[in-house]
Amino acid sequence: MSFYSNGVPRNAKLLFSGVIALGFFVLGYSLYWSLWGSHLTWVILAALTVVSGVFPVRLPFLRDTSSSLTITVSDVFIFAAILFYSPEVAVVVSVVDGSSASLRVRKTRQLYRVFYNLSQ
């Protein structure tokens, strides 16, 4: 079984692979710094991010009442991680948020798409 699905062009595979590799490098650095360079109280923010992601907020559009935009409050905790701790902690918290959202939605079945989205 291949990591990429059939029909993905070669240039797209190169782009996806580069972004995923760089994303995992940044995540590794951020995890190292977050675990050994700061207090572990940021784990509370990560847990709040996961919990708040379960409860979406629906915002109606002003012009068209039939459609709406759905957001979660989890971004608040990512910004709090930046303000209270560091960008490295915010990277880890946002990856936790993206991973939990990916597990909840399950629209994306291809593994390379999940990794690419998390690496962005």
Side-chain angles (χ1 to χ4, degrees), residues 1-22 110 112-113 115-116 119:
M1 183 171 154
S2 176
F3 183 70
Y4 295 103
S5 60
N6 294 337
V8 177
R10 182 176 175 267
N11 290 341
K13 289 179 184 179
L14 289 172
L15 173 72
F16 292 155
S17 299
V19 171
I20 290 169
L22 186 61
Q110 292 95 358
Y112 76 93
R113 288 186 179 187
F115 286 153
Y116 180 76
S119 298

Side-chain angles (χ1 to χ4, degrees), residues 83-97:
L83 293 173
F84 293 140
Y85 299 101
S86 68
E88 292 85 5
V89 171
V91 166
V92 175
V93 171
S94 64
V95 168
V96 168
D97 177 42

Side-chain angles (χ1 to χ4, degrees), residues 12-113:
K13 289 179 184 179
L14 289 172
L15 173 72
F16 292 155
S17 299
V19 171
I20 290 169
L22 186 61
F24 274 103
F25 173 76
V26 170
L27 177 62
Y29 171 78
S30 298
L31 266 173
Y32 174 79
W33 195 93
S34 298
L35 293 175
W36 285 278
S38 67
H39 298 288
L40 291 180
T41 55
W42 60 265
V43 174
I44 296 169
L45 285 177
L48 289 172
T49 303
V50 171
V51 170
S52 67
V54 176
F55 304 107
V57 177
R58 179 160 282 171
L59 301 173
F61 287 126
L62 295 176
R63 295 183 186 183
D64 184 13
T65 58
S66 64
S67 60
S68 63
L69 173 69
T70 303
I71 62 170
T72 61
V73 186
S74 60
D75 291 335
V76 171
F77 299 110
I78 294 170
F79 288 121
I82 293 171
L83 293 173
F84 293 140
Y85 299 101
S86 68
E88 292 85 5
V89 171
V91 166
V92 175
V93 171
S94 64
V95 168
V96 168
D97 177 42
S99 300
S100 66
S102 176
L103 291 174
R104 274 193 312 272
V105 173
R106 295 185 189 208
K107 283 183 182 177
T108 309
R109 300 252 187 233
Q110 292 95 358
L111 192 58
Y112 76 93
R113 288 186 179 187

